[in-house]
Coordinates of all heavy atoms in Angstrom, one line a residue:
Y102 N 8.2 88.2 -64.2 CA 6.8 88.0 -63.8 C 6.6 88.0 -62.3 O 7.5 87.5 -61.6 CB 6.3 86.7 -64.4 CG 6.1 86.8 -65.9 CD1 7.2 86.6 -66.8 CD2 4.9 87.2 -66.5 CE1 7.0 86.8 -68.2 CE2 4.7 87.4 -67.8 CZ 5.8 87.2 -68.7 OH 5.6 87.3 -70.0
L103 N 5.5 88.4 -61.8 CA 5.3 88.8 -60.4 C 4.3 88.1 -59.6 O 3.2 87.8 -60.1 CB 4.9 90.3 -60.4 CG 5.8 91.3 -61.2 CD1 5.0 92.6 -61.6 CD2 7.0 91.7 -60.4
G104 N 4.7 87.7 -58.4 CA 3.8 87.3 -57.4 C 3.4 85.8 -57.5 O 3.9 85.0 -58.2
K105 N 2.4 85.5 -56.7 CA 1.9 84.1 -56.6 C 1.4 83.5 -57.9 O 1.7 82.4 -58.2 CB 0.7 84.1 -55.6 CG 0.1 82.7 -55.4 CD -1.1 82.8 -54.4 CE -1.8 81.5 -54.2 NZ -2.9 81.6 -53.2
Y106 N 0.8 84.4 -58.8 CA 0.3 83.9 -60.0 C 1.1 84.3 -61.2 O 0.7 84.1 -62.4 CB -1.2 84.4 -60.2 CG -2.1 83.8 -59.1 CD1 -2.5 84.6 -58.1 CD2 -2.6 82.5 -59.2 CE1 -3.3 84.2 -57.1 CE2 -3.4 82.1 -58.2 CZ -3.8 82.9 -57.1 OH -4.6 82.4 -56.1
Q107 N 2.3 85.0 -60.9 CA 3.2 85.3 -62.0 C 2.6 86.2 -63.1 O 2.6 85.8 -64.3 CB 3.9 84.1 -62.6 CG 4.8 83.4 -61.6 CD 6.0 84.1 -61.2 OE1 7.0 84.1 -61.9 NE2 6.0 84.9 -60.1
F108 N 2.2 87.4 -62.7 CA 1.6 88.3 -63.6 C 2.7 89.1 -64.3 O 3.7 89.5 -63.7 CB 0.6 89.3 -62.9 CG -0.7 88.8 -62.6 CD1 -1.1 88.3 -61.4 CD2 -1.7 88.8 -63.6 CE1 -2.3 87.8 -61.1 CE2 -3.0 88.3 -63.4 CZ -3.3 87.8 -62.1
G109 N 2.4 89.4 -65.6 CA 3.2 90.4 -66.3 C 2.7 91.8 -66.0 O 1.6 92.0 -65.7
K110 N 3.6 92.8 -66.1 CA 3.2 94.2 -65.7 C 2.1 94.7 -66.7 O 1.3 95.5 -66.2 CB 4.5 95.1 -65.8 CG 5.5 94.8 -64.7 CD 6.7 95.7 -64.8 CE 7.8 95.3 -63.8 NZ 9.0 96.2 -63.9
E111 N 2.2 94.4 -67.9 CA 1.2 94.8 -68.9 C -0.2 94.3 -68.5 O -1.2 95.0 -68.6 CB 1.6 94.5 -70.3 CG 2.8 95.3 -70.8 CD 2.7 96.8 -70.6 OE1 1.6 97.3 -71.0 OE2 3.6 97.4 -70.1
T112 N -0.2 93.0 -68.2 CA -1.5 92.4 -67.8 C -2.1 93.1 -66.5 O -3.3 93.3 -66.5 CB -1.3 90.9 -67.5 OG1 -0.9 90.3 -68.7 CG2 -2.6 90.2 -67.1
L113 N -1.2 93.4 -65.6 CA -1.7 94.1 -64.4 C -2.3 95.4 -64.7 O -3.3 95.8 -64.1 CB -0.5 94.2 -63.4 CG -0.1 92.9 -62.7 CD1 1.2 93.1 -61.8 CD2 -1.2 92.3 -61.9
K114 N -1.6 96.1 -65.6 CA -2.2 97.4 -66.0 C -3.6 97.3 -66.6 O -4.5 98.1 -66.3 CB -1.3 98.1 -67.1 CG 0.1 98.6 -66.5 CD 0.9 99.2 -67.6 CE 2.3 99.7 -67.1 NZ 3.1 100.3 -68.1

Side-chain angles (χ1 to χ4, degrees):
Y102 288 87
L103 307 158
K105 179 179 177 180
Y106 299 100
Q107 293 292 276
F108 278 100
K110 293 179 181 179
E111 294 304 314
T112 299
L113 288 175
K114 288 179 183 178

